[in-house]
């Protein structure tokens, strides 16, 4: 688009590609490229659709914004795995020196956003008086955080929730201008609490977002598509940097205002993340989102378990309900046992949506979306769709990428929204202007023992009909 902050434009002659500076704000550019379906909005003013079978818009001149060309160009500038255990160890050591005294007069409470149960605190929206802006403030008791990362590690060996790790990862992502993370503005300490001050995600989390959307169907799919593309791009980029999140959920994916029609995705809560791709005996995340291999004794691929969690997120966005309550083999979840015995397709044919007149999922969702969800929720990791990470593309045995599916190819957001990744990954030091948190559902007391997700509207009938 002429006059845009940046982009990759390919001229009419093959191979002449000019790279302009991509800024973090363009991570939401996927929203500019609309689905080729009835009811889709027209191309930007001054543009017309490319010829049938082409992959982009034709501009006033001869330039073509080709998503496929961009994808190929990006692949020539691989993202390095430059965040490793040593980098995070250095960041943890530096965090202690960043902690400053809490000045209660500088912040005024606006409202509580959510309980922060696993950290025994809360997340609040506050007015930053000195800078005249609203911020999200995570408040955690000093009795839990201790004096710093070293003492916390000594006192809390083996715990899955690592609040200092969350802040260290966020610090390193901000340095690398990772556009899908919040800005960590400051870490402050008072007499009883430590406060992590972050910029505010203005539209809340995906749980609240999907709860207010239309019933499952084509209209909802069109709204989900650009959000899903950003989700996949965000986690792909995170993996390319060397980090697996391991706690992806609707509550940990935030939305904030962007210059475009589609809100910007932000990932939060890296307290269960790891720089080790292969993990063992470390089930992490909420029960509905955990990949089944997490519960076994063998090593599991944390990148593929993140892909599985995104599959649950996509299912929940499209269906407005969870596919199952737990993926443990010993669980009493009838729906998960149905999938184990008969496959996901059987569940989709049996599970009915009350908000869509009692129709089954396969009658409501498009075949392309069913294919994508099925690939991400594959119980066998070796057959599961991956997110197109560099390491996966290099592995001959890797299965299929989500970017090869028709549901993401049609609106063309997927390949384009990784465009800013190539530039930002080669530079560091610039913080993004994004944010943390704003409005997710409060967690229940029962989550103190086993974190679990809030309940979306019921979408199922009894699983008794799930038979061969």
């Amino acid at each position: 688009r002429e006059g845009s902050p940046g982009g990759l434009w390919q001229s009419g002659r093959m191979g002449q590609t000019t790279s302009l500076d991509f800024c973090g704000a363009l991570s939401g550019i996927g929203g500019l490229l609309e689905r080729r379906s009835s009811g889709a909005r027209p191309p930007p003013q001054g543009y017309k659709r490319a010829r049938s079978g082409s992959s982009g818009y034709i501009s006033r001149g001869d330039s073509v914004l080709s998503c496929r060309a961009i994808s190929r160009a990006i692949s020539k500038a691989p993202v390095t795995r430059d965040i490793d255990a040593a980098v995070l160890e250095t960041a943890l050591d530096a965090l202690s020196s960043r902690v400053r005294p809490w000045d209660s007069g500088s912040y005024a409470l606006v409202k509580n956003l959510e309980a922060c149960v696993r950290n025994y605190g809360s997340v609040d929206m506050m007015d930053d008086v000195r800078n005249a802006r609203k911020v999200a403030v995570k408040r955690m008791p000093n009795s839990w955080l201790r004096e710093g990362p070293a003492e916390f590690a000594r006192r809390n060996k083996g715990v899955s929730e690592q609040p200092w790790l969350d802040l260290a990862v966020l610090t390193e992502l901000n340095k690398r201008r990772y556009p899908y993370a919040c800005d960590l503005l400051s870490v402050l300490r008072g007499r009883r609490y430590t406060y992590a001050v972050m910029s505010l995600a203005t539209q809340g989390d995906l749980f609240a977002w999907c709860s207010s959307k239309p019933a499952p169907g084509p209209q909802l799919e069109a709204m989900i598509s650009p959000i899903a593309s950003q989700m996949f791009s965000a986690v792909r980029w995170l993996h390319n940097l060397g980090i697996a999140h391991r706690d992806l959920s609707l509550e940990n994916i935030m939305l904030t205002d962007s210059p475009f029609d589609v809100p910007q995705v932000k990932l939060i809560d890296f307290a269960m993340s790891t720089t080790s791709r292969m993990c063992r005996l470390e089930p992490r995340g909420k029960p509905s989102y955990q990949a089944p291999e997490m519960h076994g004794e063998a090593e599991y691929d944390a990148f593929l378990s993140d892909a599985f969690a995104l599959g649950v997120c996509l299912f929940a966005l499209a269906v407005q309900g969870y596919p199952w309550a737990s993926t443990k083999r010993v669980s009493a979840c009838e729906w998960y046992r149905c999938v184990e015995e008969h496959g996901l397709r059987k569940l989709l044919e049996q599970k009915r949506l009350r908000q869509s007149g009692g129709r089954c999922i396969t009658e409501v969702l498009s075949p392309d979306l069913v294919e994508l969800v099925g690939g991400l929720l594959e119980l066998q990791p070796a057959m599961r769709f991956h997110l197109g990470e560099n390491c996966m593309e290099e592995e001959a045995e890797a299965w299929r990428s989500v970017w090869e599916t028709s549901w993401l190819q049609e609106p063309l957001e997927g390949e384009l929204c990784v465009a800013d990744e190539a530039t930002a990954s080669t530079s560091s030091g610039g913080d993004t202007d994004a944010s943390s948190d704003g409005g997710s559902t409060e967690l229940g007391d029962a989550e103190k023992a086993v974190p679990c997700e809030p309940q979306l509207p019921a979408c199922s009938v009894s699983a008794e009909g799930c038979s061969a």
Side-chain angles (χ1 to χ4, degrees):
R1 189 176 65 170
E2 294 181 5
S4 64
L8 277 176
W9 290 89
Q10 185 179 17
S11 73
R13 289 178 292 176
M14 185 179 298
Q16 291 190 350
T17 301
T18 304
S19 175
L20 303 178
D21 182 32
F22 281 92
C23 64
L26 277 180
S27 55
I29 197 171
L32 293 173
L33 302 177
E34 299 300 327
R35 177 180 293 276
R36 294 195 188 108
S37 63
S38 60
R41 282 173 294 185
Q45 186 176 4
Y47 289 76
K48 62 181 180 179
R49 289 287 186 188
R51 294 185 303 273
S52 176
S54 183
S55 58
Y57 290 119
I58 297 178
S59 72
R60 298 182 180 90
D62 296 328
S63 297
V64 175
L65 175 55
S66 170
C67 294
R68 303 300 184 271
I70 290 174
S71 182
R72 290 191 293 271
I74 297 304
S75 66
K76 297 178 182 179
V79 181
T80 58
R81 289 172 54 89
D82 64 340
I83 301 181
D84 54 20
V87 169
L88 290 183
E89 192 67 33
T90 302
L92 285 168
D93 292 339
L95 271 174
S96 298
S97 62
R98 286 187 60 183
V99 177
R100 297 184 285 109
W102 168 257
D103 180 7
S104 59
S106 298
Y107 297 92
L109 178 66
V110 177
K111 65 177 180 178
N112 174 261
L113 297 176
E114 66 174 347
C116 194
V117 178
R118 291 185 302 204
N119 284 298
Y120 310 101
S122 64
V123 178
D124 302 316
M125 181 192 298
M126 292 190 173
D127 278 323
D128 181 350
V129 178
R130 291 183 177 178
N131 296 294
R133 61 185 175 185
K134 284 183 170 56
V135 294
V137 180
K138 181 184 285 188
R139 184 185 64 172
M140 298 166 283
N142 295 336
S143 58
W144 163 242
L145 259 65
R146 302 294 174 175
E147 288 298 318
E151 185 181 354
F152 178 88
R154 286 195 303 270
R155 298 288 190 109
N156 298 280
K157 293 182 179 180
V159 298
S160 60
E161 184 76 10
Q162 299 285 333
W164 288 105
L165 174 64
D166 178 25
L167 300 179
V169 170
L170 199 51
T171 299
E172 292 303 314
L173 293 177
N174 287 167
K175 286 181 180 178
R176 288 156 180 78
R177 297 174 58 201
Y178 176 76
Y180 300 104
C182 314
D183 278 348
L184 179 60
L185 303 175
S186 56
V187 181
L188 310 172
R189 173 160 294 208
R191 185 172 60 88
R192 296 178 55 197
Y193 293 97
T194 296
Y195 305 85
V197 182
M198 294 164 280
S199 46
L200 181 70
T202 54
Q203 297 193 29
D205 63 20
L206 277 184
F207 180 86
W209 183 86
C210 76
S211 299
S212 63
K213 291 297 175 280
Q219 182 183 3
L220 181 59
E221 278 193 38
M223 299 172 72
I224 290 171
S225 181
I227 302 296
S229 293
Q230 289 188 69
M231 284 164 38
F232 296 143
S233 183
V235 180
R236 171 192 180 273
W237 191 341
L238 190 70
H239 290 173
N240 282 342
L241 288 172
I243 297 173
H245 191 286
R246 298 200 298 180
D247 192 18
L248 293 166
S249 67
L250 295 183
E251 298 83 9
N252 285 340
I253 301 176
M254 310 299 296
L255 298 175
T256 194
D257 293 335
S258 77
F260 309 108
D261 295 337
V262 177
Q264 168 76 46
V265 162
K266 299 292 175 182
L267 304 183
I268 65 169
D269 198 353
F270 299 91
M272 293 188 182
S273 63
T274 180
T275 56
S276 299
R277 178 180 168 187
M278 303 307 296
C279 306
R280 181 173 178 270
L281 300 177
E282 291 182 353
R284 296 291 186 267
K286 301 175 179 68
S288 292
Y289 297 87
Q290 292 172 338
E293 63 268 19
M294 281 185 165
H295 305 297
E297 295 188 359
E299 280 191 329
Y300 68 85
D301 188 328
F303 289 180
L304 289 176
S305 67
D306 274 355
F308 184 90
L310 286 181
V312 177
C313 289
L314 183 58
F315 182 102
L317 287 173
V319 174
Q320 297 176 341
Y322 294 110
W324 41 62
S326 172
T327 55
K328 287 184 178 180
R329 295 187 66 89
V330 296
S331 73
C333 180
E334 294 180 351
W335 287 116
Y336 183 67
R337 290 205 306 270
C338 172
V339 174
E340 279 191 309
E341 295 174 9
H342 308 294
L344 182 69
R345 182 78 186 187
K346 193 69 175 179
L347 177 144
L348 299 180
E349 292 172 350
Q350 293 288 336
K351 203 164 190 176
R352 299 187 179 277
L353 306 179
R354 293 171 182 165
Q355 59 272 52
S356 295
R359 292 183 296 167
C360 67
I361 294 176
T362 52
E363 293 175 332
V364 175
L365 302 187
S366 67
D368 289 338
L369 180 54
V370 169
E371 176 198 26
L372 177 57
V373 169
L376 288 168
L377 295 182
E378 170 61 51
L379 302 188
Q380 298 299 324
M383 301 294 289
R384 189 176 301 151
F385 287 180
H386 60 82
L387 305 178
E389 299 93 339
N390 292 338
C391 60
M392 295 294 187
E393 299 289 354
E394 295 166 359
E395 294 176 3
E397 68 274 14
W399 189 227
R400 190 178 173 191
S401 167
V402 296
W403 304 112
E404 298 172 10
T405 62
S406 298
W407 194 76
L408 286 180
Q409 281 185 351
E410 285 183 2
L412 301 174
E413 301 110 344
E415 292 172 320
L416 184 57
C417 67
V418 301
D420 53 333
E421 177 176 342
T423 298
S425 64
T426 59
S427 60
S428 61
D431 292 344
T432 68
D433 73 342
S435 62
S436 172
D437 198 58
S440 53
T441 303
E442 188 170 75
L443 306 177
D445 292 339
E447 292 179 320
K448 294 180 180 179
V450 180
C452 61
E453 59 279 354
Q455 293 300 307
L456 285 169
C459 67
S460 66
V461 295
S462 172
E464 292 175 359
C466 191
S467 57

